Structure formats: C-alpha cells, structure tokens
C-alpha cells in the first residue's frame, strides 16, 4: 500500500496548493476577462451581432472549472517535494495571503479602462527613476521571466486563433504566412506586455511596505518561486492556445450561420 500512498499524498498536497493559491477565485477572474474579450471579438469580427448565442459560446469556452483544471495541471508538473511545501508555506502566511488578495483585487480593478490607463501612466513615470519599490518589482519580473513568457504565450495563442480561421476556410494562408503575420506584432505585444505588467504589479503591491515587497521579491528568486511561475505558465500556455483555437472555431461557425 505504500506504493499507492505516494501519488495519493502528492495529489492531496496539490489540492492544498490550489486552495492556498485561491486558484478557483483566479479562474473566475479569468472567466470574467474572457467575457470582456469575447465582447471585443463580437464588436470587431461580428459587428456586434453575436447576441446571446455568441455570449453563451464564450462562457462555455472560458468555463472556470476548465481554467482551474488547466492551472492545476501546470502546477503539478513543476511543483513537488520541498518546492511544493515552500510555496504552500509562503502563501499560507499572512503576507502570502495578503499578496493574493491584492493581486486579485488589482486584476479586477484593471478591467476598468480608466484604472488601467492611470496605472500604466504611473508605471511609465517611475520606470527609469530608480524607484525602490519598482526595483523590487523588476526583480520579480526578471526572476519569473514574466515579459518573455507572456509574450510567447500571446504569440502562440494568436497562431492558434489564426489556424482556426484558416481551418474554417475563413482565410487561405500557409503555416509560414500565419507565423510571419503573428510575429510581425511581436514588438508591439512585448511593449504592451511590459506596460501592463508594470502597471498591474505597481497597483497590486502599493499597500505593501518596502520591506514586505522585498520579502516577496526574495521569495520570487528562490527555487520555489521560480518553479511556481514556471508551473503557472505550464498550465496557462496550452490552456490559452486551446481557448484561442476554440474562439476562432466559434467565430467561423457564427459567421457561417449569419451567411445562411
């Protein structure tokens, strides 16, 4: 029975991790962001004619349970043993819990275009000033390779979206043409990603003291902190590639139905 007990124990500890990281709450936030993005697609691709049918399709694609499970799969790949326990210990602490609350609140706040614009402007003002708080945030960004990982994820998702449109005969493009078309936007995506990350992290961590922020930056540079970031991207990357392809498929079907 000892052989069977190990994976059961590991599974239980990953369930604890999911609870500590409040991934169900994060999944709901991502679901809400998905609805906003779906409305943008409706406006830009369907001239606002999607209606309730399109809205329901988007809701199913961004199902919170699907999002949560995708996050878990990624975390299970990179966190085990000591690194797993160190992540649980940190985010079960008072500081770790506050950080999660602040991140989730900031993410919801940035859904307001006015809030996002103000946060981006604040980041731009501080970017090259040597601000002590921003220095700690930059440590986190570097430790997690957050800019490049987010850019790569965005590019891969865009490729999948375009593939769905091509597979649905909406466009006639070769694989090389798809890749070139998407890569042409890399610099723009990278600049936007850097601005958004800086704005988000500055806003989220503004209530923390410099000492608390430094403690979090220290954690982000540990093996556990790096593994946590790697785990999130290991979950998000395939998840959002699948979502992007599904959105492209849904658009093709909706456009076909309109033509009929």
């Amino acid at each position: 029975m000892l052989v069977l007990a190990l994976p059961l124990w590991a599974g239980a500890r990953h369930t604890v991790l999911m609870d500590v990281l409040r991934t169900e709450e994060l999944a709901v936030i991502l679901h809400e962001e998905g609805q906003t993005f779906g409305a943008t697609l409706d406006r830009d691709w369907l001239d606002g004619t999607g209606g309730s049918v399109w809205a329901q399709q988007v809701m199913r694609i961004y199902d919170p349970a699907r999002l949560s499970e995708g996050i878990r799969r990624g975390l299970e790949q990179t966190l085990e043993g000591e690194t797993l326990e160190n992540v649980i210990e940190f985010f079960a602490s008072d500081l770790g819990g506050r950080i999660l609350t602040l991140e989730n609140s900031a993410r919801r706040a940035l859904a307001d275009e006015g809030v996002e614009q103000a946060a981006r402007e604040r980041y731009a003002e501080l970017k090259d000033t040597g601000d002590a708080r921003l220095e700690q945030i930059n440590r986190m960004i570097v430790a997690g390779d957050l800019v490049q990982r987010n850019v790569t994820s965005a590019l891969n998702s865009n490729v999948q979206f375009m593939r769905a449109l091509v597979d649905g005969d909406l466009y006639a493009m070769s694989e090389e043409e798809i890749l070139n078309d998407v890569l042409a936007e890399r610099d723009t995506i990278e600049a936007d990603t850097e601005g958004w990350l800086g704005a988000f992290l500055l806003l989220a961590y503004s209530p923390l003291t410099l000492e608390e922020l430094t403690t979090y930056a220290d954690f982000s540079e540990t093996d556990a902190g790096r593994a946590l970031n790697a785990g999130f991207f290991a979950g998000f990357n395939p998840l959002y590639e699948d979502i992007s392809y599904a959105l492209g498929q849904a658009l093709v079907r909706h456009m076909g139905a309109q033509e009929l």
Side-chain angles (χ1 to χ4, degrees):
M1 293 301 294
L2 290 177
V3 176
L4 296 176
L6 181 58
L8 290 174
W9 169 250
R13 295 307 288 166
H14 282 106
T15 297
V16 171
L17 174 69
M18 295 285 285
D19 290 341
V20 167
L21 293 177
R22 305 179 192 174
T23 53
E24 287 190 5
E25 180 180 350
L26 175 59
V28 170
I29 294 171
L30 297 176
H31 173 78
E32 293 167 354
E33 291 177 356
Q35 308 318 295
T36 301
F37 183 58
T40 300
L41 291 177
D42 182 17
R43 181 194 67 207
D44 295 345
W45 288 82
L46 303 173
D47 295 326
T49 64
S52 61
V53 173
W54 172 253
Q56 288 297 319
Q57 288 177 316
V58 173
M59 286 187 69
R60 285 194 296 271
I61 290 170
Y62 284 95
D63 175 51
R66 174 191 189 185
L67 294 167
S68 184
E69 183 56 33
I71 295 169
R72 177 170 183 140
R73 282 196 298 269
L75 295 175
E76 287 177 338
Q77 293 176 32
T78 63
L79 287 168
E80 58 184 16
E82 185 177 359
T83 57
L84 172 61
E85 296 305 323
N86 287 343
V87 171
I88 290 174
E89 180 181 9
F90 182 84
F91 286 100
S93 69
D94 289 342
L95 176 59
R98 285 181 60 211
I99 286 169
L100 292 172
T101 297
L102 292 172
E103 288 177 349
N104 289 343
S105 295
R107 189 140 191 163
R108 280 199 162 104
L110 288 178
D112 183 299
E113 291 183 4
V115 172
E116 180 180 346
Q117 183 60 33
R120 282 178 178 268
E121 290 173 359
R122 179 59 176 161
Y123 170 68
E125 290 171 1
L126 295 176
K127 182 178 176 182
D128 297 315
T129 65
D131 179 77
R133 298 178 63 83
L134 190 55
E135 287 298 314
Q136 300 309 312
I137 287 172
N138 285 334
R139 287 176 60 200
M140 298 177 204
I141 292 174
V142 171
D145 196 18
L146 298 183
V147 173
Q148 291 308 313
R149 278 178 162 159
N150 274 290
V151 169
T152 299
S153 180
L155 291 173
N156 289 341
S157 293
N158 289 350
V159 166
Q160 289 300 103
F161 181 76
M162 292 302 298
R163 280 178 180 154
L165 300 184
V166 171
D167 290 345
D169 295 326
L170 190 62
Y171 292 120
M173 298 174 70
S174 68
E175 183 71 8
E176 182 178 2
E177 287 172 331
I178 292 174
L179 295 175
N180 288 339
D181 188 65
V182 170
L183 287 175
E185 300 296 320
R186 182 185 182 97
D187 290 345
T188 300
I189 291 173
E190 185 168 337
D192 184 68
T193 297
E194 180 188 341
W196 188 90
L197 273 173
F200 167 62
L201 296 177
L202 270 176
L203 177 64
Y205 304 144
S206 57
L208 299 179
T209 66
L210 180 58
E211 181 180 3
E212 290 170 331
L213 194 55
T214 302
T215 296
Y216 192 25
D218 290 342
F219 172 77
S220 72
E221 293 177 338
T222 65
D223 289 343
R226 293 178 191 274
L228 176 63
N229 270 317
F232 271 120
F233 281 99
F236 283 136
N237 288 350
L239 181 64
Y240 273 89
E241 287 175 28
D242 289 347
I243 284 173
S244 294
Y245 192 85
L247 286 170
Q249 286 183 313
L251 273 176
V252 170
R253 287 195 300 268
H254 203 90
M255 290 170 138
Q258 285 180 323
E259 291 177 3
L260 294 176

